[in-house]
mmCIF file of all heavy atoms in Angstrom:
data_model
loop_
_atom_site.group_PDB
_atom_site.id
_atom_site.type_symbol
_atom_site.label_atom_id
_atom_site.label_comp_id
_atom_site.label_asym_id
_atom_site.label_seq_id
_atom_site.Cartn_x
_atom_site.Cartn_y
_atom_site.Cartn_z
ATOM 1 N N ARG A 78 -322.275 27.181 28.824
ATOM 2 C CA ARG A 78 -322.610 26.202 27.788
ATOM 3 C C ARG A 78 -323.974 25.553 28.052
ATOM 4 O O ARG A 78 -324.658 25.133 27.122
ATOM 5 C CB ARG A 78 -321.519 25.132 27.713
ATOM 6 C CG ARG A 78 -320.233 25.644 27.077
ATOM 7 C CD ARG A 78 -319.162 24.566 27.062
ATOM 8 N NE ARG A 78 -318.597 24.332 28.391
ATOM 9 C CZ ARG A 78 -318.295 23.139 28.890
ATOM 10 N NH1 ARG A 78 -318.528 22.048 28.167
ATOM 11 N NH2 ARG A 78 -317.762 23.020 30.088
ATOM 12 N N ILE A 79 -324.358 25.453 29.309
ATOM 13 C CA ILE A 79 -325.692 24.966 29.691
ATOM 14 C C ILE A 79 -326.257 25.933 30.714
ATOM 15 O O ILE A 79 -325.603 26.228 31.727
ATOM 16 C CB ILE A 79 -325.615 23.546 30.281
ATOM 17 C CG1 ILE A 79 -325.198 22.549 29.210
ATOM 18 C CG2 ILE A 79 -326.959 23.134 30.882
ATOM 19 C CD1 ILE A 79 -325.123 21.104 29.692
ATOM 20 N N ASN A 80 -327.467 26.440 30.462
ATOM 21 C CA ASN A 80 -328.019 27.406 31.403
ATOM 22 C C ASN A 80 -328.643 26.694 32.605
ATOM 23 O O ASN A 80 -328.980 25.501 32.532
ATOM 24 C CB ASN A 80 -329.027 28.339 30.716
ATOM 25 C CG ASN A 80 -330.225 27.591 30.143
ATOM 26 O OD1 ASN A 80 -330.797 26.718 30.787
ATOM 27 N ND2 ASN A 80 -330.623 27.951 28.925
ATOM 28 N N PRO A 81 -328.803 27.386 33.733
ATOM 29 C CA PRO A 81 -329.313 26.747 34.954
ATOM 30 C C PRO A 81 -330.672 26.067 34.795
ATOM 31 O O PRO A 81 -330.855 24.951 35.303
ATOM 32 C CB PRO A 81 -329.360 27.901 35.958
ATOM 33 C CG PRO A 81 -328.275 28.822 35.511
ATOM 34 C CD PRO A 81 -328.327 28.757 34.010
ATOM 35 N N PRO A 82 -331.666 26.681 34.124
ATOM 36 C CA PRO A 82 -332.946 25.974 33.970
ATOM 37 C C PRO A 82 -332.808 24.642 33.245
ATOM 38 O O PRO A 82 -333.468 23.666 33.606
ATOM 39 C CB PRO A 82 -333.801 26.965 33.167
ATOM 40 C CG PRO A 82 -333.224 28.300 33.490
ATOM 41 C CD PRO A 82 -331.757 28.067 33.606
ATOM 42 N N ARG A 83 -331.954 24.586 32.226
ATOM 43 C CA ARG A 83 -331.762 23.332 31.511
ATOM 44 C C ARG A 83 -331.099 22.297 32.423
ATOM 45 O O ARG A 83 -331.476 21.114 32.415
ATOM 46 C CB ARG A 83 -330.915 23.545 30.259
ATOM 47 C CG ARG A 83 -330.645 22.245 29.491
ATOM 48 C CD ARG A 83 -329.784 22.501 28.263
ATOM 49 N NE ARG A 83 -330.558 23.116 27.199
ATOM 50 C CZ ARG A 83 -331.171 22.449 26.233
ATOM 51 N NH1 ARG A 83 -331.129 21.120 26.219
ATOM 52 N NH2 ARG A 83 -331.845 23.072 25.297
ATOM 53 N N ALA A 84 -330.117 22.712 33.207
ATOM 54 C CA ALA A 84 -329.451 21.781 34.129
ATOM 55 C C ALA A 84 -330.457 21.209 35.128
ATOM 56 O O ALA A 84 -330.442 20.011 35.424
ATOM 57 C CB ALA A 84 -328.315 22.483 34.868
ATOM 58 N N LEU A 85 -331.343 22.066 35.639
ATOM 59 C CA LEU A 85 -332.353 21.604 36.586
ATOM 60 C C LEU A 85 -333.341 20.665 35.911
ATOM 61 O O LEU A 85 -333.767 19.657 36.507
ATOM 62 C CB LEU A 85 -333.093 22.807 37.182
ATOM 63 C CG LEU A 85 -334.092 22.491 38.302
ATOM 64 C CD1 LEU A 85 -333.402 21.800 39.473
ATOM 65 C CD2 LEU A 85 -334.779 23.777 38.766
ATOM 66 N N ALA A 86 -333.702 20.960 34.674
ATOM 67 C CA ALA A 86 -334.621 20.089 33.935
ATOM 68 C C ALA A 86 -333.995 18.726 33.671
ATOM 69 O O ALA A 86 -334.663 17.694 33.775
ATOM 70 C CB ALA A 86 -335.016 20.759 32.616
ATOM 71 N N VAL A 87 -332.710 18.716 33.348
ATOM 72 C CA VAL A 87 -332.006 17.440 33.151
ATOM 73 C C VAL A 87 -332.011 16.639 34.443
ATOM 74 O O VAL A 87 -332.255 15.421 34.450
ATOM 75 C CB VAL A 87 -330.562 17.695 32.672
ATOM 76 C CG1 VAL A 87 -329.740 16.410 32.721
ATOM 77 C CG2 VAL A 87 -330.567 18.257 31.251
ATOM 78 N N ALA A 88 -331.747 17.310 35.545
ATOM 79 C CA ALA A 88 -331.731 16.634 36.845
ATOM 80 C C ALA A 88 -333.089 16.019 37.170
ATOM 81 O O ALA A 88 -333.181 14.854 37.582
ATOM 82 C CB ALA A 88 -331.326 17.616 37.936
ATOM 83 N N ALA A 89 -334.145 16.796 36.961
ATOM 84 C CA ALA A 89 -335.490 16.302 37.263
ATOM 85 C C ALA A 89 -335.883 15.159 36.333
ATOM 86 O O ALA A 89 -336.432 14.137 36.776
ATOM 87 C CB ALA A 89 -336.493 17.446 37.154
ATOM 88 N N GLY A 90 -335.600 15.319 35.053
ATOM 89 C CA GLY A 90 -335.967 14.282 34.090
ATOM 90 C C GLY A 90 -335.264 12.970 34.357
ATOM 91 O O GLY A 90 -335.881 11.891 34.313
ATOM 92 N N LEU A 91 -333.977 13.039 34.667
ATOM 93 C CA LEU A 91 -333.228 11.815 34.953
ATOM 94 C C LEU A 91 -333.679 11.184 36.275
ATOM 95 O O LEU A 91 -333.701 9.952 36.401
ATOM 96 C CB LEU A 91 -331.732 12.116 34.994
ATOM 97 C CG LEU A 91 -331.076 12.362 33.634
ATOM 98 C CD1 LEU A 91 -329.648 12.869 33.798
ATOM 99 C CD2 LEU A 91 -331.079 11.091 32.789
ATOM 100 N N GLY A 92 -334.049 12.008 37.235
ATOM 101 C CA GLY A 92 -334.551 11.469 38.495
ATOM 102 C C GLY A 92 -335.841 10.687 38.304
ATOM 103 O O GLY A 92 -336.002 9.578 38.835
ATOM 104 N N VAL A 93 -336.755 11.255 37.537
ATOM 105 C CA VAL A 93 -338.015 10.571 37.255
ATOM 106 C C VAL A 93 -337.760 9.290 36.468
ATOM 107 O O VAL A 93 -338.348 8.241 36.752
ATOM 108 C CB VAL A 93 -338.971 11.508 36.483
ATOM 109 C CG1 VAL A 93 -340.195 10.737 35.988
ATOM 110 C CG2 VAL A 93 -339.395 12.676 37.366
#
Side-chain angles (χ1 to χ4, degrees):
R78 287 178 286 140
I79 293 181
N80 61 45
R83 178 181 284 267
L85 186 59
V87 169
L91 286 171
V93 171

